[in-house]
Amino acid sequence: MSFVYETHSHTNQASACGRTPGRDYIDYMQKEGFSGMIITDHFFNGNSCVPKDLPWKERVEMYVSGYEDAKRAARGTDFNVMFGIEYNFDCDEYLIYGVDKKWLLDNGDILECSRQEVHKRVHEAGGIMVQAHPFRERYYIRTINLTPSVTDGIEIYNAANDDYMNALGYCYAKELGVPMSAGSDIHFHYDGPKGGMRFNQRIEDVQDYVKRFMNREGTPVVLSRGRVMPVETFDSLKIPEHGPTFEVKRY
């Protein structure tokens, strides 16, 4: 028996690009074949819809509302809703797992911190930083920024990316020798391929996810038309059709 978890998702309660309230994901994601999901809304330094002029506590409360509503909606089911963050620096974004609302409340100066300082604080809290879609190319991205020193893992499959972008991420993860993840980067209900992490055991909470992910117990998978297939079975997701067309910088 296996269990698949969405690792990259957005609600319209904290992400400006989100179109779905947290509570409306539960039935849909279960029907799509997921055993749980991690809500990773854009943080205040990304595509957030949380007003910047609110006091820090109010901003944090609004930020976690999508996750908290989804968590409440899943009560009484075996669908596990977990908390995460999508954190932006200079268009290089990281999925932070293993921290919570209290951590955000206690780190009111986090937006002023460098990549290295954020990584240090996340690690001190028992969390990790996984670089999301590292080779994504979009109109709002100036350069592709790679930061191995703060990267605990790489998202090698993002359902919103072109195959060659995902394949470049796969090659980069192989080069670094770090764990690999997959996610849908879901913003709304849609028909089409999705990504997730498959485990042989049910994930209890986000700390359990962090532990099992870092132990490489999970398999990055693609969900499509009722089938769950390892990312590594697709040559197009491992062998880039071509290299990046944007400038690549390493920090």
Side-chain angles (χ1 to χ4, degrees), residues 54-241:
L54 294 176
W56 185 258
K57 184 178 186 299
E58 291 182 36
R59 294 177 78 186
V60 170
E61 292 289 350
M62 185 173 176
Y63 178 75
V64 303
S65 64
Y67 155 73
E68 291 181 339
D69 283 355
K71 187 81 171 174
R72 278 190 289 270
R75 285 177 185 168
T77 75
D78 59 3
F79 187 83
N80 190 3
V81 177
M82 296 169 279
F83 177 71
I85 300 168
E86 185 166 14
Y87 197 95
N88 174 63
F89 287 101
D90 185 15
C91 291
D92 51 315
E93 296 181 295
Y94 301 82
L95 300 167
I96 298 178
Y97 307 118
V99 301
D100 57 14
K101 180 166 80 171
K102 183 179 184 304
W103 183 84
L104 288 176
L105 291 171
D106 291 344
N107 285 274
D109 63 341
I110 197 72
L111 295 176
E112 303 164 19
C113 295
S114 66
R115 294 174 178 85
Q116 287 70 26
E117 179 61 25
V118 173
H119 187 250
K120 177 175 177 286
R121 293 191 191 187
V122 168
H123 269 224
E124 288 173 346
I128 58 173
M129 288 171 54
V130 174
Q131 187 164 7
H133 43 66
F135 286 88
R136 170 168 287 180
E137 299 185 2
R138 296 289 192 274
Y139 71 91
Y140 55 84
I141 296 175
R142 296 179 296 277
T143 60
I144 293 170
N145 296 318
L146 305 178
T147 54
S149 64
V150 301
T151 301
D152 299 305
I154 295 292
E155 184 182 60
I156 64 161
Y157 178 75
N158 179 294
N161 266 12
D162 294 344
D163 282 359
Y164 83 91
M165 299 176 191
N166 285 320
L168 287 167
Y170 175 87
C171 294
Y172 180 50
K174 283 288 190 181
E175 174 192 334
L176 297 186
V178 296
M180 305 177 183
S181 74
S184 305
D185 202 351
I186 190 170
H187 292 68
F188 50 85
H189 300 182
Y190 71 92
D191 294 324
K194 295 174 176 63
M197 291 296 290
R198 184 175 65 190
F199 296 86
N200 292 330
Q201 294 178 304
R202 189 177 295 279
I203 298 296
E204 298 300 325
D205 52 34
V206 73
Q207 288 76 27
D208 189 34
Y209 177 81
V210 168
K211 175 185 174 182
R212 295 185 184 281
F213 175 75
M214 293 306 294
N215 286 341
R216 304 174 192 258
E217 296 177 31
T219 301
V221 294
V222 178
L223 295 80
S224 181
R225 299 179 180 178
R227 299 178 64 196
V228 179
M229 300 159 285
V231 170
E232 290 198 321
T233 62
F234 295 89
D235 285 345
S236 63
L237 298 176
K238 296 188 301 179
I239 304 169
E241 184 178 2

